[in-house]
Amino acid sequence: MLPTLRRLYSSTSATSIASQFLAKSQSLPPHTHTQFLDANQLQRFSATLSRPELSQSLPKNGTPLPACYHLAYFTPSQVEEELGQDGTDTTFNPPHPFTRRMWAGGELEWIGGETNRLKIGQEVTETTKLVSAVGKNTRAGEEMVVVGVEKSYENERGVALIDKRNWIFRPEITTPQMPASEPDQVPLPEGKYTRDFTQTPVTLFRFSALTFNAHKIHYNREWCRDVEGHRDLVVHGPLNLINMVNLWRDVQGRDVVPKKVTYRATSPLYAGERYRVIMDEEQSKVSEVRIVDSYGKMSMVGQIERA
């Protein structure tokens, strides 16, 4: 259906395309995907995240999914021929030329709280609808389309989680970009709670495989450096989100879900480069969290609200 819709657009401006794309997409019914939450996927995902509490043995039925681990389920199902040139799922892509996707941020709300969590052994339905599409300009003046989707996750007790995501779609690359050079390193900032990471190609491959994410920036160095101009493999935005929330869970000292998480990606992180998750002391049930790389750049900012 989406390829047919794309042929109907007469203007190539971001604002016009976004407006028409939103109207046509919202005329279609929401996309639903029902899945059994299996223990094997949770165990493998936990191993990828180096979390021994759920990776050393197969989780039992009824084990609650840690916050944000639903991202290992409800993965895209497009055949390879339907993927974008960069390997991305195109289900919610605006039409040409805005086909280069980046995960920009979002908001998650556990409306079921502790009384209705997603758990191993449940049959859960994900319902996805496109809620916004806006044409904007980057600071350099390049047009882009910002697309927002809302996903709800419902088990036998009702909706447990609402996951709102924003994606940025930039024009496809027609001329290969020069690889970015590595800046001068600076000391990582201190904070109340910190955790350092240096992601490896193995971790990025495993995360891509478990989330069925074929985006080439996460596993194809040649594509990263010779086409998109990145200096190395790009760390997944959702992986950074999960690592922020895992630090918060560990500080809480028990497996609880937040009431709400908001986050925004601001700059890419790369394999082999050290970065730090920093979380401040909680104020009025809200913890400010940020990720800073070894060059002084903020890569992600977020707020985690406790129930």
Side-chain angles (χ1 to χ4, degrees):
M1 180 64 73
L2 287 181
T4 302
L5 290 176
R6 289 179 190 136
R7 289 196 291 268
L8 299 177
Y9 298 106
S10 57
S11 172
T12 59
S13 77
T15 299
S16 176
I17 283 179
S19 176
Q20 295 176 66
F21 174 63
L22 177 64
K24 292 184 182 297
S25 297
Q26 290 186 331
S27 69
L28 302 173
H31 178 267
T32 60
H33 181 184
T34 299
Q35 182 172 358
F36 177 80
L37 301 186
D38 67 285
N40 184 71
Q41 186 78 344
L42 177 57
Q43 184 185 35
R44 300 297 185 268
F45 201 57
S46 299
T48 299
L49 299 169
S50 298
R51 302 290 296 192
E53 65 271 17
L54 289 173
S55 64
Q56 293 181 340
S57 61
L58 196 66
K60 297 178 180 179
N61 269 3
T63 299
L65 292 190
C68 298
Y69 283 38
H70 69 288
L71 293 167
Y73 300 88
F74 309 98
T75 57
S77 58
Q78 284 189 315
V79 298
E80 184 174 343
E81 291 75 17
E82 295 174 336
L83 298 176
Q85 183 183 15
D86 58 1
T88 53
D89 170 57
T90 59
T91 305
F92 292 99
N93 277 28
H96 178 84
F98 301 100
T99 57
R100 187 157 52 106
R101 190 184 77 184
M102 292 295 289
W103 192 303
E107 175 184 292
L108 302 102
E109 186 173 6
W110 284 263
I111 60 174
E114 292 294 335
T115 61
N116 184 20
R117 293 181 61 174
L118 301 179
K119 297 179 181 181
I120 293 301
Q122 290 179 343
E123 186 175 85
V124 177
T125 298
E126 175 197 68
T127 301
T128 306
K129 58 184 179 181
L130 191 142
V131 295
S132 63
V134 181
K136 293 188 176 183
N137 289 82
T138 66
R139 293 179 181 176
E142 180 186 59
E143 284 194 309
M144 61 181 178
V145 175
V146 182
V147 172
V149 299
E150 180 179 296
K151 296 173 175 284
S152 64
Y153 298 88
E154 184 174 1
N155 57 22
E156 71 278 3
R157 302 188 64 181
V159 176
L161 169 66
I162 294 178
D163 180 350
K164 299 176 182 178
R165 304 176 190 177
N166 295 319
W167 294 312
I168 290 174
F169 291 90
R170 289 178 171 166
E172 65 182 2
I173 293 175
T174 56
T175 303
Q177 308 296 300
M178 288 293 294
S181 58
E182 183 178 352
D184 294 331
Q185 293 192 16
V186 298
L188 289 166
E190 299 298 328
K192 177 66 177 178
Y193 306 101
T194 65
R195 181 169 293 164
D196 292 358
F197 293 91
T198 303
Q199 302 296 352
T200 67
V202 171
T203 295
L204 300 189
F205 167 77
R206 295 173 91 182
F207 193 89
S208 288
L210 285 165
T211 56
F212 209 53
N213 180 358
H215 198 175
K216 294 177 183 177
I217 62 172
H218 303 307
Y219 62 88
N220 187 325
R221 275 202 172 101
E222 182 179 0
W223 177 273
C224 288
R225 293 172 172 168
D226 299 341
V227 178
E228 296 213 18
H230 293 292
R231 59 179 176 264
D232 212 317
L233 301 176
V234 178
V235 180
H236 307 71
L239 176 56
N240 293 321
L241 167 65
I242 291 171
N243 284 329
M244 288 200 312
V245 176
N246 275 345
L247 175 60
W248 177 85
R249 289 199 304 121
D250 292 342
V251 170
Q252 294 295 313
R254 55 199 176 98
D255 182 29
V256 294
V257 292
K259 178 181 180 182
K260 182 184 290 187
V261 174
T262 58
Y263 65 99
R264 181 169 55 90
T266 56
S267 181
L269 293 163
Y270 297 102
E273 297 180 1
R274 186 165 164 244
Y275 63 92
R276 177 168 290 174
V277 181
I278 304 165
M279 186 170 72
D280 297 333
E281 192 70 79
E282 181 182 287
Q283 300 288 337
S284 301
K285 295 188 176 183
V286 175
S287 299
E288 301 283 344
V289 193
R290 59 197 180 278
I291 297 178
V292 181
D293 67 15
S294 292
Y295 316 101
K297 258 194 170 180
M298 194 87 71
S299 296
M300 183 173 281
V301 294
Q303 288 187 333
I304 305 176
E305 181 179 351
R306 179 169 55 85

